[in-house]
Amino acid sequence: MAQPLVAIGVRLARFPEFTTLGLRPNLEDYPPEHLELIQNARRIFYPTDAFALQLSAMGKGIYPSLECHLLEGDKIKQTTLFNLLGLDHPRTRVFYGKQAQAITDYFSFPFVAKKARGSALGKGVYLVRNQAELNAYLLDNSPAYIQEYLPIKRDIRVIVLGFEPLLAYWRWSQPEDFRTNVARGGQVDFEGVPDSAVELAVEAARSANLNEVGVDVAFWQGKPYLLEFNVKFGHHGPGLAGIDIPGVIAQRIIAGEL
């Protein structure tokens, strides 16, 4: 008899082929039959950050990969990874504590300042144009994550699934906002995405073992640059393209392709 497909996170809960347990604050909060499923499963889907590392340490397979969980939402780790892999990325530097006094020795206004960890949907991203704006950013952000400003009006989101591109599209910013996030009103355009941007996103996903990821790429002066990646990426853009991301994932898992 085939083993059940066991999931903890609820992303695939609407598919009856998966037994979705949900995330509980303590392991002992699961009923015995759920604990038995976790113990006996060779692979757990969507283990969440609460269980991914522990299940992987036990030797169980997990999906998405452990790297997806460890690197999600941490811009510092992502930047270090891009640099170690030799992948093109806007010039970026992290300043800890009193090092922040030297930011303007390395960057000229304007530049981009970001919340280093835990930000999403364009929140915690600022265009810093003068010392007053830098001071305001530093009040609530340590370490300081500073990146050169590329004067672009759009960037590219590439969704990579199983190390292959599923969808790529432009995200246009609103006239009054340099951020392109769809959650902040950015507009989606599926036409003319450069192949080099898609190739760079796929290279990053394959090199870092990111098997379900949305990679953001800037295209500036004819060249693509990695910005960051998100495992918990939005589905509005794919929805406009008629793609049901959870549906595609479920089908591919059931078919043994993921």
Side-chain angles (χ1 to χ4, degrees):
M1 182 177 177
Q3 282 198 329
L5 298 172
V6 179
I8 292 177
V10 299
R11 191 163 196 176
L12 302 177
R14 62 185 168 97
F15 302 98
E17 295 87 350
F18 294 84
T19 300
T20 298
L21 308 181
L23 178 62
R24 304 200 178 198
N26 297 284
L27 193 62
E28 56 267 30
D29 294 334
Y30 288 98
E33 60 270 24
H34 286 185
L35 290 174
E36 184 177 358
L37 284 172
I38 294 171
Q39 292 286 354
N40 292 337
R42 289 193 295 267
R43 195 177 188 207
I44 302 287
F45 297 94
Y46 296 97
T48 76
D49 293 343
F51 289 101
L53 180 58
Q54 296 89 331
L55 292 171
S56 183
M58 293 172 63
K60 292 185 183 295
I62 63 171
Y63 178 90
S65 68
L66 180 62
E67 289 82 356
C68 287
H69 291 87
L70 294 179
L71 296 167
E72 166 74 9
D74 193 317
K75 294 179 175 60
I76 297 174
K77 289 180 179 178
Q78 292 186 17
T79 292
T80 301
L81 177 66
F82 294 152
N83 291 336
L84 287 170
L85 293 172
L87 300 174
D88 290 320
H89 178 58
R91 186 171 65 89
T92 304
R93 191 174 178 89
V94 182
F95 298 85
Y96 294 88
K98 292 183 179 180
Q99 294 176 354
Q101 298 173 3
I103 288 174
T104 53
D105 294 339
Y106 291 88
F107 294 87
S108 300
F109 298 115
F111 51 76
V112 176
K114 300 180 180 181
K115 182 179 180 181
R117 301 182 179 94
S119 63
L121 305 176
K123 298 177 181 178
V125 180
Y126 310 94
L127 180 61
V128 176
R129 293 160 293 193
N130 52 54
Q131 187 64 47
E133 292 180 348
L134 175 58
N135 292 342
Y137 163 79
L138 292 174
L139 284 175
D140 296 318
N141 291 276
S142 182
Y145 180 97
I146 307 298
Q147 189 171 86
E148 68 174 313
Y149 171 57
L150 302 180
I152 57 176
K153 294 297 184 183
R154 60 181 183 173
D155 66 11
I156 299 162
R157 165 65 56 84
V158 183
I159 296 175
V160 183
L161 185 60
F163 310 116
E164 298 294 338
L166 177 66
L167 179 68
Y169 51 92
W170 293 101
R171 303 185 304 176
W172 286 87
S173 63
Q174 291 290 320
E176 70 282 358
D177 194 343
F178 80 103
R179 293 166 294 187
T180 61
N181 304 78
V182 175
R184 307 193 69 85
Q187 300 300 304
V188 172
D189 178 6
F190 298 100
E191 299 297 324
V193 176
D195 290 341
S196 59
V198 178
E199 291 165 0
L200 180 61
V202 171
E203 182 182 1
R206 290 177 177 170
S207 298
N209 195 35
L210 306 169
N211 56 357
E212 182 185 328
V213 66
V215 184
D216 296 339
V217 182
F219 199 76
W220 171 240
Q221 295 182 338
K223 184 176 178 179
Y225 295 87
L226 292 169
L227 294 175
E228 62 181 273
F229 57 80
N230 296 279
V231 177
K232 301 167 186 173
F233 53 86
H235 293 175
H236 181 71
L240 292 176
I243 296 176
D244 172 18
I245 293 290
V248 172
I249 293 167
Q251 291 173 3
R252 293 192 180 181
I253 290 174
I254 294 167
E257 298 172 358
L258 285 177

